[in-house]
Amino acid sequence: VAKDGGILDIGCGTGAWLQRLANAGYTNLNGVDWDTGQFKAQGATCTRANLDCDDLGLGERKFGLITAIEFVEHLECPGRLFHHVSNHLAREGRFLMTTPNIHSLLARLRFLITGKVQQFDEHGDSTHINPIYLPCLERTLARHDLQIERTWTYPPTAGGISSKASSVLAAKIARIFFRDLLPGDILCFYIRRKTRP
């Protein structure tokens, strides 16, 4: 996106991501969050909205880039986020979304053994309520005229930033027998409007 092309960060929190963009020379920076009192980014604006219910208060504005960094898992209804993105994403724009990765071999092994979803149990953030399951995400995005363009993880290799050493070792052993296509702790998506046939 151009430096002045219009960026919207949904669930912006303190505005740390927008501040990084401002420091890199981007202008026309906008955030949306329920708690605007915590917003501290210089060179950006923040609008108050309940993402599970409200309109975003942005009228007909369109953005070349919309981001939702570690936010969708906090929503009661993730489909509302995609509704807002579809309404405000420019025709050739892109949506960058990150969320905890429940698809890594480590996370799947943990679920197999404990029946608990990594980063959504008693050891994870208590405000994480909706893990993102890839087949369901693809179906939901399609309902909002959106599709995944690219998927990657952070860190890009297995290791588990937030995992115990014993779990990491078990996953390394399991990798001898099973493929780990999405090994990192965080799932990252680049999403665009659905391509018309």
Side-chain angles (χ1 to χ4, degrees):
V1 70
K3 294 277 186 179
D4 61 351
I7 297 174
L8 173 65
D9 186 26
I10 300 177
C12 62
T14 63
W17 171 240
L18 291 172
Q19 188 62 64
R20 289 181 72 177
L21 291 171
N23 293 345
Y26 287 89
T27 59
N28 195 3
L29 300 172
N30 307 269
V32 175
D33 202 277
W34 175 249
D35 182 5
T36 56
Q38 65 180 332
F39 187 79
K40 301 196 180 354
Q42 300 295 313
T45 62
C46 184
T47 304
R48 184 178 189 272
N50 178 343
L51 279 293
D52 270 320
C53 307
D54 296 345
D55 176 81
L56 297 187
L58 299 169
E60 299 296 317
R61 291 182 67 189
K62 303 287 185 190
F63 299 88
L65 176 66
I66 298 178
T67 61
I69 310 298
E70 298 302 295
F71 177 67
V72 67
E73 66 275 6
H74 299 271
L75 294 174
E76 289 181 19
C77 182
R80 289 295 295 166
L81 171 63
F82 309 131
H83 166 79
H84 295 309
V85 169
S86 186
N87 282 346
H88 294 288
L89 189 65
R91 173 57 42 198
E92 300 300 321
R94 295 296 185 268
F95 171 43
L96 171 66
M97 181 178 80
T98 71
T99 190
N101 182 12
I102 65 166
H103 295 277
S104 71
L105 188 56
L106 179 62
R108 289 182 288 140
L109 186 62
R110 183 167 188 211
F111 183 76
L112 176 67
I113 294 168
T114 68
K116 296 178 180 181
V117 179
Q118 183 172 298
Q119 299 190 46
F120 291 85
D121 61 6
E122 67 277 8
H123 301 294
D125 184 330
S126 64
T127 63
H128 287 182
I129 58 175
N130 269 314
I132 297 302
Y133 182 57
L134 280 171
C136 297
L137 173 62
E138 290 170 348
R139 291 175 185 172
T140 305
L141 287 172
R143 291 181 175 201
H144 298 281
D145 200 32
L146 300 168
Q147 67 184 37
I148 297 170
E149 182 173 82
R150 182 174 163 230
T151 304
W152 70 98
T153 62
Y154 182 85
T157 58
I161 297 170
S162 60
S163 303
K164 294 180 183 176
S166 58
S167 299
V168 173
L169 177 61
K172 282 183 182 178
I173 294 168
R175 280 186 202 99
I176 297 169
F177 307 100
F178 304 101
R179 294 176 71 195
D180 194 1
L181 299 176
L182 295 167
D185 286 338
I186 305 300
L187 263 179
C188 307
F189 300 97
Y190 216 36
I191 295 167
R192 61 180 168 83
R193 292 205 176 275
K194 201 169 181 183
T195 304
R196 297 290 180 195

